[in-house]
Amino acid sequence: MQDVQNSKISVEKIGGTSMTAFGDVLRHIVLHDRQRINGRIYVVSAYSGVTNQLLEHKKTGERGIYALFAEGKGYQDALTQLAASLKKLNAGYADLGLPLDVADAFIDQRIGQAREYLGAMQHVLASGYLSRKDVLLAAREVLASIGESHSAFNSVEILKANGVNAVLMDLAGFDDNEAWTIDERIAQSFKGLDLSDKVVVATGYTKGTEGIMREFDRGYSEVTFSKIAVEVRPAEAVIHKEFHLSSADPNLVGLENAIVVGATNYDVADQLADVGMEAIHPKAAKPMELAGIPIRLKNTFEPDHPGTLITKDFVGERARVEIVTGTDKVTLIEIHDPSMVGTVGFDAGLMEVFCKHDVSYILKATNANSIAHLVWDNQVTPALVAELQEGYQIVTIKPSAIVCAIGSNISIPGVLAKAAQALADADVNVNCVSQTLRQVNMQFVIEREDYKTAIKALNMALCVNSGAPVPRV
């Protein structure tokens, strides 16, 4: 690992939606600045929707090939359908210079290798020699890697067709038997690599003995990006997405009311991730924060815009809310029990139940006899509810929404009052509220049907009408 930052090297992550619009990636990222084509490492996601097809849909949970394999039926046919789907994607990039015979042959080879792996795993499952859970996790790793290997291979071929000296760094490890950890594989792959006359396209998936899916699940491509950045130490790392990091979702508040966040800090990025609005996966952000590597978020389709710079120590020059966000896919679980008042460790028992059912909460609010936790909808299972109802007097399960007002400098009198007033003026009732001493995130739990109204009201009151935005860096 290098000890100092290297201004001649850039590590850049390209998201799935941007990858799908690869013509724009070519124009707006790779070839946009002719003076600095070389020296760049691109860490690429799978094309939009491919990982959903391989595993399951990230938002809806719709089952993919992984579920078919787990059930032991139909996954071979599904792999055949996947190959056809990926070749159809390939055809869409022919006008960018992608050689379809070469690209389609790569798909056949990689899916053929996956069939062999999965077939062997099926035999192991049938034997009972190994844990079913471990074998299924291994199958998930194999399937996940296909998407990034496909998009990375295509990217290199397209770049070469457009005169760029591009090299593929396939970290999926299909063609080797090295028992490396993720960090070891990245270190070995980039050891002594000269980028002065070339660019590298690396897969967002990295094979490792600990299993990147097992450790990080669907955030793995940003983890690969982070680990590469820590290994090569660029002056800053760049994430290209199809949107700017803005004061609120433009799809909800309108593009004219979405103010680009020019600069913020890692703490704010963590707050966003906690409610599902990931500027960057928190487990990917932490190593870069500790290494002192800034992250710049850029809009693929606006290459000349500086985007948003995330650093460790940034604090806004004046107090203001930078981002309003939230989700309507959460449930409030409230326990009411008269025995709670004055009982030491009452909530410890509740935490044991949550841990048993693998529940992580977003927000906690409490008073003398009640304690409420906000959790993701998909964590609320019949088994969890049954155990809570058996152990506590009154258990309320309420589908809800949460809206958050987040900023690096909001610890002044009046901001909370202004937020509450904006919600009241919009006729939105607050069911729970939370803010810690650090004061970077005000959280309001509201009725689910009020979610969009609340986002619009808070954005207008706290961001649009708050004065000049934080200066860009």
Side-chain angles (χ1 to χ4, degrees):
M1 182 189 299
Q2 297 183 25
D3 295 325
V4 295
Q5 292 179 335
N6 190 334
S7 60
K8 295 182 179 179
I9 294 177
S10 176
V11 180
E12 306 179 39
K13 164 75 168 54
I14 304 177
T17 303
S18 294
M19 285 298 297
T20 302
F22 198 79
D24 291 297
V25 169
L26 193 63
R27 288 187 294 273
H28 299 327
I29 299 175
V30 182
L31 302 179
H32 181 68
D33 184 351
R34 295 280 177 175
Q35 301 302 311
R36 58 179 298 268
I37 289 178
N38 294 324
R40 302 167 80 174
I41 300 168
Y42 298 106
V43 182
V44 299
S45 295
Y47 296 122
S48 182
V50 171
T51 307
N52 290 340
Q53 191 175 348
L54 287 160
L55 302 178
E56 64 279 319
H57 197 287
K58 190 173 183 179
K59 293 183 178 178
T60 68
E62 181 181 351
R63 296 161 7 120
I65 297 174
Y66 170 74
L68 298 176
F69 175 81
E71 295 169 359
K73 57 184 180 182
Y75 79 91
Q76 292 283 7
D77 289 340
L79 284 171
T80 300
Q81 293 169 10
L82 173 70
S85 174
L86 298 185
K87 289 177 182 178
K88 185 176 180 181
L89 273 174
N90 285 355
Y93 302 114
D95 61 343
L96 297 179
L98 180 65
L100 295 183
D101 54 342
V102 175
D104 289 353
F106 178 81
I107 290 172
D108 290 335
Q109 178 194 26
R110 188 50 53 95
I111 289 183
Q113 290 172 308
R115 286 186 195 277
E116 291 180 12
Y117 278 134
L118 295 174
M121 290 179 195
Q122 232 183 2
H123 287 300
V124 171
L125 278 175
S127 73
Y129 293 150
L130 293 177
S131 158
R132 175 177 174 81
K133 179 181 179 181
D134 287 342
V135 175
L136 290 180
L137 284 171
R140 194 168 174 82
E141 299 276 344
V142 168
L143 287 168
S145 71
I146 295 173
E148 276 76 23
S149 292
H150 170 228
S151 63
F153 182 89
N154 281 6
S155 300
V156 169
E157 293 299 319
I158 293 171
L159 294 185
K160 288 194 294 188
N162 285 270
V164 178
N165 183 18
V167 175
L168 175 65
M169 189 70 76
D170 191 346
L171 299 171
F174 264 79
D175 298 319
D176 70 65
N177 296 313
E178 300 292 347
W180 287 328
T181 65
I182 295 166
D183 287 339
E184 288 170 343
R185 180 172 295 278
I186 288 173
Q188 289 293 329
S189 298
F190 287 91
K191 185 177 181 180
L193 183 66
D194 181 7
L195 285 169
S196 62
D197 62 345
K198 66 176 71 69
V199 304
V200 167
V201 179
T203 56
Y205 176 91
T206 304
K207 175 184 172 183
T209 52
E210 66 270 51
I212 200 166
M213 287 291 297
R214 187 182 294 121
E215 289 287 311
F216 308 106
D217 201 57
R218 294 290 287 270
Y220 61 83
S221 62
E222 289 187 350
V223 171
T224 293
F225 161 73
S226 169
K227 288 180 177 295
I228 291 174
V230 170
E231 179 65 31
V232 304
R233 297 298 179 100
E236 67 180 32
V238 183
I239 298 178
H240 299 278
K241 294 194 174 186
E242 70 278 13
F243 50 79
H244 286 297
L245 182 63
S246 301
S247 62
D249 183 350
N251 293 321
L252 291 180
V253 303
L255 193 60
E256 69 281 6
N257 294 319
I259 301 169
V260 177
V261 179
T264 192
N265 61 37
Y266 277 99
D267 194 355
V268 167
D270 286 344
Q271 305 302 321
L272 296 175
D274 200 39
V275 289
M277 182 186 171
E278 288 185 7
I280 181 171
H281 192 287
K283 290 184 178 180
K286 200 56 58 183
M288 286 195 280
E289 179 182 355
L290 294 174
I293 301 172
I295 300 172
R296 189 176 293 276
L297 303 178
K298 295 202 64 173
N299 185 326
T300 300
F301 310 106
E302 293 187 40
D304 293 321
H305 195 291
T308 302
L309 190 68
I310 301 174
T311 56
K312 182 177 181 179
D313 299 319
F314 174 83
V315 176
E317 291 180 2
R318 66 180 187 83
R320 67 182 293 273
V321 169
E322 294 164 14
I323 302 169
V324 172
T325 187
T327 177
D328 58 357
K329 296 177 175 58
V330 288
T331 297
L332 194 66
I333 301 177
E334 183 176 82
I335 305 298
H336 176 78
D337 197 316
S339 66
M340 177 179 163
V341 62
T343 301
V344 175
F346 180 90
D347 55 349
L350 182 56
M351 285 299 95
E352 287 180 1
V353 177
F354 278 10
C355 288
K356 176 181 175 182
H357 293 271
D358 200 27
V359 173
S360 175
Y361 65 86
I362 299 169
L363 172 149
K364 178 180 180 179
T366 185
N367 61 26
N369 292 321
S370 300
I371 183 167
H373 293 85
L374 191 74
V375 305
W376 293 100
D377 285 344
N378 60 10
Q379 295 180 327
V380 184
T381 63
L384 170 66
V385 175
E387 186 163 348
L388 291 174
Q389 289 174 337
E390 183 179 343
Y392 300 98
Q393 188 173 97
I394 300 175
V395 178
T396 303
I397 309 295
K398 182 177 178 58
S400 301
I402 182 173
V403 289
C404 307
I406 302 171
S408 61
N409 181 9
I410 59 174
S411 58
I412 62 165
V415 178
L416 180 59
K418 190 174 182 181
Q421 188 62 55
L423 293 174
D425 290 345
D427 202 26
V428 174
N429 187 53
V430 177
N431 294 330
C432 286
V433 63
S434 177
Q435 178 177 272
T436 68
L437 180 63
R438 191 170 174 82
Q439 296 190 52
V440 294
N441 187 359
M442 295 178 290
Q443 300 174 298
F444 304 92
V445 180
I446 60 175
E447 299 294 325
R448 183 166 286 184
E449 59 268 25
D450 290 335
Y451 175 66
K452 293 181 180 179
T453 299
I455 291 288
K456 292 176 183 178
L458 289 176
N459 180 64
M460 191 60 66
L462 304 178
C463 300
V464 176
N465 293 329
S466 70
V470 174
R472 298 174 186 170
V473 175

